[in-house]
Amino acid sequence: MTNEKVVLTREQDFWIRGMRRIKDDYAIIDEAQFGRASDEIIALSIPRLAKALYEGYEVERTQEERYEDVREAYRNAIALENYDERHAIELTLDLLGIKIEGVND
């Protein structure tokens, strides 16, 4: 397994947080393995669920949250008078998780 954290949907995060209030991680895996979990959790492979539970996970950001990140970055760049087209393009691509060779690699 790599060191990257598993990325889960908000629904998966909600289910896991709820289950952790009443069950330990082993019992959560058992619930998923035998089909007694939400459809979103059952869609995960057992190794991926185990990694998320034991190593931690990140919650997928919505399109709106990513858009707000870009807007906030522009506001900050303008406020710092550190705004030029190249910087704005690099910043936008980085915030959106897009890599383009020769631009922001």
Side-chain angles (χ1 to χ4, degrees), residues 36-82:
R36 297 185 304 257
S38 70
D39 291 341
E40 293 85 10
I41 295 297
I42 292 171
L44 290 173
S45 67
I46 296 302
R48 191 162 173 236
L49 175 60
K51 182 177 179 181
L53 293 172
Y54 293 112
E55 295 181 12
Y57 61 90
E58 295 178 5
V59 179
E60 185 176 66
R61 296 185 56 75
T62 65
Q63 188 70 21
E64 293 81 20
E65 289 169 330
R66 291 171 52 192
Y67 176 73
E68 281 304 314
D69 289 345
V70 171
R71 287 181 51 143
E72 185 63 27
Y74 277 128
R75 284 188 210 114
N76 291 340
I78 291 169
L80 296 172
E81 296 179 11
N82 191 19

Side-chain angles (χ1 to χ4, degrees), residues 93-105:
L93 292 171
D94 289 342
L95 287 169
L96 296 174
I98 300 169
K99 293 290 179 194
I100 298 175
E101 188 175 335
V103 178
N104 70 327
D105 56 353

Side-chain angles (χ1 to χ4, degrees), residues 7-53:
V7 178
L8 301 179
T9 65
R10 292 207 179 279
E11 293 81 12
Q12 291 165 333
D13 171 56
F14 180 78
W15 187 86
I16 288 172
R17 285 186 294 118
M19 289 299 288
R20 279 186 159 167
R21 290 187 193 123
I22 56 174
K23 296 184 183 254
D24 63 17
D25 290 345
Y26 180 79
I28 292 172
I29 291 170
D30 188 57
E31 294 284 319
Q33 187 172 5
F34 294 103
R36 297 185 304 257
S38 70
D39 291 341
E40 293 85 10
I41 295 297
I42 292 171
L44 290 173
S45 67
I46 296 302
R48 191 162 173 236
L49 175 60
K51 182 177 179 181
L53 293 172

